Every structure is written in structure tokens, then in C-alpha cells.
Amino acid sequence: MIDRYNRDINYLRVSVTDRCNLRCQYCMPKEGVSSVGHHDILRYEEIERIVAIATHIGITKVRITGGEPLVRRGIVDFIRGIGDIEGISDISLTTNGILLSSYAEALHNAGIRRINVSLDSLNAEKYREITRGGELNTVLRGIEEVYSLGFSPIKINVVAIKDFNDDEILDFASLTIDRPYEVRFIELMPLGKASTLNLGRHLSNKIVLERIGAAHRLETLNGKRNVTDGPARRYRIEGAAGEIGFISPVSSHFCQSCNRLRLTADGHLRSCLLLDEEIDLRGHLRSGCSDADLEQLILSAIANKPMGHDVNCDEVHVKKCVKDMSSIGG
Ligand code: SAM
Ligand code: SF4
């Protein structure tokens, strides 16, 4: 479906839970968020119904995210079911990697090949600190496992945080030299309950790119491959197996090419990550709406998808994005 700003909206990100087995400082308060009761979380069959209807208006790609999607019981069968929906040609997963080594094979069998693993430090102590308790080695084992099973692409998402991991930028970039990993630096965004913590910790990707560029010869890749380009500006260290991407929602908005909708864990449809307008699909689903009604609601989310957001990392905007990232899905 082409929207009024000529964007082809073909991508749905689905948060299957707002719960998580980590408590990343920039994403969740330490006591967790779980404000949403079990009953308020969409059931798998409700999500499947929404996805199937969304394919009628041009959704072809689905990313499963959270919270931590691998903590929700039955996730592998659910993923297989989504992949089986006619019209879905691409299904991918974003995970913190803690449960990845035990799920890798089952996920592969369920049809997942494209996986994003979030990892903000390569130092065990710092990783434990930023995630409030996560074990780095567990995640590294998960990445190793998906690599040996042949998942591709394997993207490693790094939120760049001032005075926390800015000294590890080159270490992360080096991960791409021998392995075909795609390391993607993501700018810290002012969202949800943990957002005030993020004030002053924002690091522009311009600085990250400069640091890598000062140490390595970089070739630019945008335009060489279309299908999974998304919002990332992509580079390769000369001769490297993998690539480096920069996702800069704060310093350099990519709204003009944004092709996505987001379904939150509590069943609300959002046309922009950073603006709080949502459509309550769950309410309509549970009061017996027809498929045609549901399709109209999805169409209205597309019709109202804004041209862009004006979010940056100042205090005013922190107050604007009140929903937590774990419920929206990153
Ligand atoms: N739990 C999974 C994970 O961590 O990959 C999936 C959900 S998580 C919300 C998705 C992505 O959002 C992660 O890469 C995470 O680092 C990122 N994220 C969470 N809060 C963020 C924030 N305030 N700014 C930028 N990225 C954020
Ligand atoms: Fe959990 Fe992912 Fe949020 Fe970290 S970023 S607390 S792993 S949902």
C-alpha cells in the first residue's frame, strides 16, 4: 500500500510481549515494566489474524520483537505459523540473545534466517551493568550458534551510549572483518519510562562513523542492495566479510523512507515509533469486528502515518514518547 507520502508500507513489526529477561538501563526501569496483564496481551491467534489481513493491503515482511520474544511460551510454533501465512515472504526476529543458543535450531527449522541480536558491550562486566545482570558469554554462544547454522544476515545491534561504550566502537567494527556480521550502531532514543535516564547519553552516529573512518578505509554500500536496506546507512571496511550500518533516528531522520507499521504487545497499531498515536485493534478484535473492519482500521493507520517526527534528545521530547520500547518493539 502506497501512503500519501509515496512510501510503500509493506513491513509490520510485532511485539509479542512486553516482558523481558534483561533490564537494559536505557529501555526499562530495574523493576521491569510489565504493566500489561496477561489478558491484555494479544493472543497468538489474534496476531495471526491481523497479519493475515495486513497481507491483503500489501504487508509482506514481519519482524518478531518484544520485550524479549523468546521468553513467550510457544514462540517457535507461532513464528512458523506467521511464516505460513500466504503473502508473507520475509520473517525475521530481534532478540537479546540470552536464550538464543537453545532456540537457534528450532528457529531455523521454523523458517527464520534473518536475525538481529542486541549487544551493547563486548566487556562482560559492562554488559552485566547495562543489562542489569546479563551474561555476555551466553549471548556470544547464541551468535556463534546461529552463525554455524547458516543464519543470514546476522545483524548485531549496538546502541551507542556516551561514556559507556564509545570506547568499544572499533572493537564492534572489527567483528565484521572476519565474519559476515552486520554491526549496526543505533542512536539512543528518548522513549518510555527509562527515557529520562537517556538524557545526556546520546551519541550521534556522525561521531561513531568518524571514529571508524579514522581507523579504517570504508566503502559505502547503500544502493548496492535494496531488499533489506531499511533505514541503515551501510559501509564496509575494505576487504571485510561483513558490514557496518548506522541507524540514526535522532540526528538524521529517515522518515521519508519509513515503510513500517508496529503492532504493540497490547494490540495497538502504531504508524510511527516515536509518536504516541495508536489504533486499538485489540478492543475491536475482542468486540467481534469483521475482517473488513480490521482491514479498514489498518488502512486508517496507514492513511494517518505522519510524514515524520521531530524527536530529538531534549527534555521536551522525552515527555512525548511515553510508551515503553519493550511494548512497542524496537
Ligand atoms: N529484547 C529484544 C532485544 O533487545 O533485541 C527485542 C526488543 S528491543 C526493545 C529492540 C531493540 O530496541 C534493541 O536493539 C534495543 O537495544 C533497542 N532499544 C531499546 N530501547 C532503546 C532506546 N531508548 N533507544 C534506542 N534503541 C533502543
Ligand atoms: Fe529487554 Fe531488549 Fe529492552 Fe534490553 S532492549 S530490556 S533486552 S526488551
Side-chain angles (χ1 to χ4, degrees):
M1 165 67 63
I2 307 292
D3 79 352
R4 63 194 158 136
Y5 301 111
N6 215 24
R7 299 170 295 198
D8 185 6
I9 312 301
N10 58 14
Y11 185 15
L12 178 67
R13 295 168 77 102
V14 177
S15 173
V16 293
T17 177
D18 67 338
R19 288 163 202 244
C20 187
N21 47 2
L22 294 179
R23 296 279 181 274
C24 299
Q25 289 182 23
Y26 54 79
C27 178
M28 280 198 190
K30 59 176 172 297
E31 60 281 10
V33 281
S34 230
S35 47
V36 186
H38 258 307
H39 180 73
D40 296 326
I41 296 289
L42 280 189
R43 294 190 295 273
Y44 284 144
E45 57 274 22
E46 291 174 321
I47 302 176
E48 280 163 8
R49 183 171 170 211
I50 292 169
V51 173
I53 290 167
T55 63
H56 302 161
I57 51 176
I59 295 293
T60 58
K61 304 199 287 180
V62 173
R63 175 169 292 277
I64 308 299
T65 178
E68 174 47 39
L70 297 183
V71 302
R72 183 157 174 188
R73 203 175 309 144
I75 187 72
V76 174
D77 289 337
F78 165 71
I79 286 173
R80 185 179 298 107
I82 293 289
D84 285 345
I85 292 174
E86 205 184 321
I88 295 300
S89 55
D90 184 324
I91 177 155
S92 54
L93 175 78
T94 299
T95 172
N96 61 28
I98 292 291
L99 295 171
L100 192 53
S101 60
S102 39
Y103 274 91
E105 198 166 343
L107 289 169
H108 193 269
N109 292 338
I112 293 265
R113 294 295 180 274
R114 295 159 38 68
I115 195 153
N116 290 10
V117 184
S118 304
L119 180 58
D120 300 325
S121 177
L122 295 168
N123 171 298
E125 198 52 47
K126 283 167 69 180
Y127 182 75
R128 200 171 298 122
E129 179 193 334
I130 193 76
T131 59
R132 300 196 181 96
E135 281 296 323
L136 175 66
N137 277 336
T138 315
V139 181
L140 296 178
R141 257 203 318 280
I143 295 175
E144 202 53 45
E145 186 70 23
V146 288
Y147 175 69
S148 63
L149 285 166
F151 280 70
S152 174
I154 298 169
K155 299 186 183 180
I156 298 177
N157 285 352
V158 184
V159 177
I161 306 168
K162 199 188 216 164
D163 298 332
F164 173 71
N165 59 7
D166 38 1
D167 57 340
E168 297 189 63
I169 290 169
L170 294 181
D171 298 337
F172 274 111
S174 299
L175 293 179
T176 66
I177 293 177
D178 297 325
R179 291 269 173 101
Y181 297 149
E182 298 185 19
V183 168
R184 308 186 325 157
F185 292 96
I186 301 173
E187 288 180 342
L188 186 62
M189 290 178 275
L191 275 162
K193 296 191 187 67
S195 60
T196 41
L197 267 175
N198 298 343
L199 284 172
R201 303 175 90 191
H202 174 79
L203 180 66
S204 164
N205 262 339
K206 189 166 171 288
I207 294 173
V208 180
L209 174 60
E210 276 167 11
R211 296 234 182 119
I212 301 173
H216 297 281
R217 284 172 77 98
L218 291 175
E219 53 172 321
T220 169
L221 296 175
N222 283 83
K224 290 195 179 165
R225 186 189 67 182
N226 270 328
V227 195
T228 57
D229 253 10
R233 304 213 36 195
R234 299 164 42 235
Y235 297 82
R236 188 192 304 282
I237 294 177
E238 215 172 56
E243 38 180 275
I244 300 170
F246 295 90
I247 300 183
S248 314
V250 179
S251 70
S252 153
H253 302 171
F254 39 77
C255 309
Q256 73 281 2
S257 61
C258 179
N259 61 350
R260 48 197 70 179
L261 295 176
R262 290 180 161 83
L263 181 61
T264 65
D266 61 358
H268 289 67
L269 193 62
R270 224 171 146 102
S271 60
C272 175
L273 170 65
L274 291 169
L275 298 179
D276 281 319
E277 278 105 61
E278 298 182 335
I279 295 181
D280 175 13
L281 293 188
R282 187 191 66 207
H284 286 85
L285 274 173
R286 294 187 183 173
S287 53
C289 76
S290 67
D291 286 359
D293 293 340
L294 213 47
E295 188 170 322
Q296 277 313 313
L297 289 166
I298 302 172
L299 282 171
S300 67
I302 295 177
N304 292 318
K305 187 172 165 69
M307 177 54 220
H309 67 79
D310 60 353
V311 163
N312 54 43
C313 261
D314 63 29
E315 195 143 7
V316 176
H317 290 98
V318 162
K319 293 189 183 106
K320 246 175 144 174
C321 308
V322 293
K323 200 150 193 170
D324 290 300
M325 188 70 142
S326 50
S327 175
I328 305 168

